[in-house]
Amino acid sequence: MREGPDIARIASLVGDPARANMLNALMGGTALTASELALEAGVSLPTASSHLSKLTEGGLLTLASQGRHRYYGLAGPQVAGMIEAITGVAEAVGPKRVRPGPRDGAMRVARVCYDHLAGEQAVAMLDRLVDKNILVRNDNEIRLGPSAASHFAAIGIDFYTKPRRPVCRACLDWSVRRSHLAGTLGAAILDKILLEKWARREKDSRAVIFSPPGKQAFERIFLS
Amino acid sequence: MREGPDIARIASLVGDPARANMLNALMGGTALTASELALEAGVSLPTASSHLSKLTEGGLLTLASQGRHRYYGLAGPQVAGMIEAITGVAEAVGPKRVRPGPRDGAMRVARVCYDHLAGEQAVAMLDRLVDKNILVRNDNEIRLGPSAASHFAAIGIDFYTKPRRPVCRACLDWSVRRSHLAGTLGAAILDKILLEKWARREKDSRAVIFSPPGKQAFERIFLS
DNA sequence: AGGATGCTTCGATGAGGACCGAACTATGCG
DNA sequence: CGCATAGTTCGGTCCTCATCGAAGCATCCT
């Protein structure tokens, strides 16, 4: 019964299914609002709110108020690392590793991360956009390059429709260890991909499956 | 409400104070009996027994029956790593330690982490081994460098005895915010330190106390 | 201003689970 | 065998906490 840092307190915060789902959702690196997290966790808004104050109080989340929106995000890389560690154990200990399965593979290639594209394809896309100087990246901050407006207008992508959110944002990818593009631009690109039916969303999953011609079109526009 | 590995289940196992105390006690690396763990956790024997079956059922502990004694131990280094990660967060967000206390100081300098050395000394050692190119580190992956085999053979450390586990692993240190060396090599080095009596283990604690000549020897070999 | 949206607080309910004493099983010792 | 020690199972009590509806703030839009 010796005393150390209160590990039980932290672990029990993660130990509730609703809170665990929220934390999982936040592992993408983008801060989310209370309603989004309520949906993610499958609980009502009051319940979510209660969980969120506990997580914030407990030091696992940070809160950024922007107008009437309150964005919750992981408190830092250390917290993310802890969740990864727990996930690792859960995976090792949990029900036998079913074969990687087509879904898992597809998830690595491309999936939805809140409202934008994540996975290998998304990481490659951001790389290419930065290479071509359409976007300018400075560590985790991404800005539009000089040719961005005309470039995206030309391919029919409009990202000025939701002025509240940042246009660009770096979002750490879970499968690859690199960043992909979030923000309204990221969201607009995902919209475009789905609208043009280059890809469809796997039902009840985050996986995004490209059709062969869709993949060609996507790669021609974003990876060439 | 998407599905992944059941992180809430694992975290809630750690999230009970009694169980957390037990796991903490087992971080020393030695397996303990149910009664010892009951004492450690400050609960009655029946209660401890119930907790222990949950932990074992949940895959966090392994059970070795020897006669009428039943020895419980951590299920593996991955579990130990997870607990260290949680401890790190708890330490970071927890209330400021009122009084560091002598034992805490010793714990920061050097302590046992499951089966290998942790603390400032261990972090410095890994840094030095990487500097000298004896180990090659790539993010969280650590491999043996070209001169590793001859180097460790020369100082009498044999790490090929447990082929099942990885030889090297990075393990995040909660006191410092950096990694130290785990894996069979890490375990072999700790063995060496205790065998040569460079240091002794504090009774009922994870702290490792170096004797003055032992510290010299250790620093000459690993930190020079 | 007035209405809409995003979120939190309050109050009541209900379920899960931590806890212990007592009884039970298993192993070891003479 | 009988007794002691180590552990588990059982039954019952109690308390925490997750949950939701309704009401209350706060901010934004028109």
Side-chain angles (χ1 to χ4, degrees):
Chain A
M1 192 140 151
R2 67 185 55 125
E3 270 323 306
D6 197 350
I7 122 175
R9 176 175 152 77
I10 300 300
S12 73
L13 282 175
V14 188
D16 176 83
R19 286 193 295 259
N21 282 331
M22 291 173 169
L23 291 168
N24 231 334
L26 290 171
M27 281 296 282
T30 12
L32 299 175
T33 65
S35 349
E36 289 163 344
L37 287 166
L39 193 68
E40 199 68 45
V43 294
S44 73
L45 229 155
T47 304
S49 182
S50 153
H51 285 311
L52 288 169
S53 24
K54 278 171 192 164
L55 286 169
T56 308
E57 176 74 17
L60 298 191
L61 297 187
T62 52
L63 171 57
S65 284
Q66 278 177 25
R68 63 180 161 181
H69 294 268
R70 314 193 74 185
Y71 287 95
Y72 290 91
L74 292 189
Q78 199 180 19
V79 174
M82 173 187 77
I83 295 182
E84 270 194 17
I86 299 175
T87 307
V89 171
E91 219 162 62
V93 141
K96 299 170 185 60
R97 213 64 188 108
V98 194
R99 299 251 176 272
R103 285 174 306 264
D104 271 5
M107 287 271 283
R108 277 176 195 284
V109 174
R111 66 181 177 278
V112 171
C113 176
Y114 173 39
D115 64 356
H116 54 271
L117 195 69
E120 291 160 10
Q121 291 277 59
V123 170
M125 180 181 76
L126 175 57
D127 280 354
R128 201 71 194 91
L129 288 171
V130 171
D131 272 359
K132 289 196 282 190
N133 210 35
I134 294 168
L135 298 182
V136 179
R137 179 167 186 188
N138 183 11
D139 207 16
N140 256 354
E141 185 189 300
I142 299 179
R143 292 194 320 281
L144 296 174
S147 58
S150 63
H151 177 83
F152 288 112
I155 47 182
I157 286 178
D158 170 24
F159 46 84
Y160 289 113
T161 44
K162 303 174 190 169
R164 270 294 134 72
R165 292 177 50 201
V167 172
C168 295
R169 236 193 99 122
C171 180
L172 191 67
D173 208 286
W174 162 83
S175 43
V176 192
R177 275 214 161 188
R178 319 236 338 254
S179 294
H180 57 250
L181 181 65
T184 57
L185 177 55
I189 291 177
L190 176 60
D191 282 351
K192 173 81 171 174
I193 290 168
L194 297 176
L195 189 70
E196 298 281 354
K197 296 208 193 316
W198 290 342
R200 61 183 167 79
R201 293 202 49 176
E202 179 88 329
K203 176 130 178 84
D204 282 336
S205 155
R206 292 164 64 188
V208 170
I209 318 259
F210 280 83
S211 70
K215 188 166 169 19
Q216 276 193 344
F218 175 82
E219 292 182 345
R220 180 171 43 77
I221 294 184
F222 290 107
L223 301 184
S224 67
Chain B
M1 193 137 139
R2 63 192 44 135
E3 268 323 305
D6 196 349
I7 125 175
R9 177 176 152 73
I10 300 300
S12 73
L13 282 175
V14 187
D16 176 82
R19 287 194 292 262
N21 282 332
M22 291 173 169
L23 290 168
N24 229 334
L26 290 171
M27 282 295 281
T30 29
L32 299 173
T33 65
S35 346
E36 286 165 340
L37 287 166
L39 193 68
E40 199 69 43
V43 294
S44 74
L45 228 151
T47 304
S49 181
S50 153
H51 285 311
L52 288 169
S53 29
K54 278 170 193 165
L55 286 169
T56 309
E57 177 72 19
L60 298 190
L61 297 186
T62 51
L63 171 57
S65 284
Q66 276 178 27
R68 61 179 162 181
H69 293 269
R70 314 192 74 184
Y71 286 95
Y72 291 91
L74 290 189
Q78 199 180 19
V79 174
M82 172 187 77
I83 295 183
E84 278 267 328
I86 299 174
T87 307
V89 172
E91 179 84 0
V93 307
K96 312 278 178 268
R97 309 288 292 145
V98 186
R99 192 161 48 114
R103 193 162 299 164
D104 269 6
M107 288 272 282
R108 278 177 194 284
V109 173
R111 67 181 178 279
V112 171
C113 174
Y114 182 43
D115 64 356
H116 54 271
L117 194 70
E120 291 159 10
Q121 290 278 57
V123 170
M125 180 181 76
L126 176 57
D127 280 354
R128 202 69 195 92
L129 288 172
V130 170
D131 271 0
K132 290 196 280 189
N133 211 35
I134 293 167
L135 298 182
V136 179
R137 178 165 185 188
N138 184 11
D139 210 14
N140 257 351
E141 185 190 299
I142 299 179
R143 292 194 321 281
L144 295 175
S147 58
S150 64
H151 176 83
F152 288 113
I155 48 182
I157 287 177
D158 171 24
F159 46 84
Y160 288 114
T161 44
K162 305 172 189 167
R164 269 293 143 70
R165 293 175 48 199
V167 171
C168 296
R169 249 192 69 230
C171 181
L172 193 68
D173 208 288
W174 60 257
S175 44
V176 192
R177 220 192 45 163
R178 318 226 350 245
S179 294
H180 57 250
L181 181 66
T184 58
L185 177 54
I189 291 176
L190 176 59
D191 282 351
K192 174 82 173 173
I193 290 168
L194 297 177
L195 188 70
E196 298 281 353
K197 297 208 192 315
W198 290 341
R200 63 184 166 77
R201 295 200 45 182
E202 178 90 328
K203 173 120 178 104
D204 281 336
S205 155
R206 292 165 60 192
V208 170
I209 319 259
F210 279 83
S211 70
K215 188 166 187 321
Q216 276 195 343
F218 175 82
E219 292 182 344
R220 180 168 43 77
I221 294 185
F222 290 107
L223 301 184
S224 67

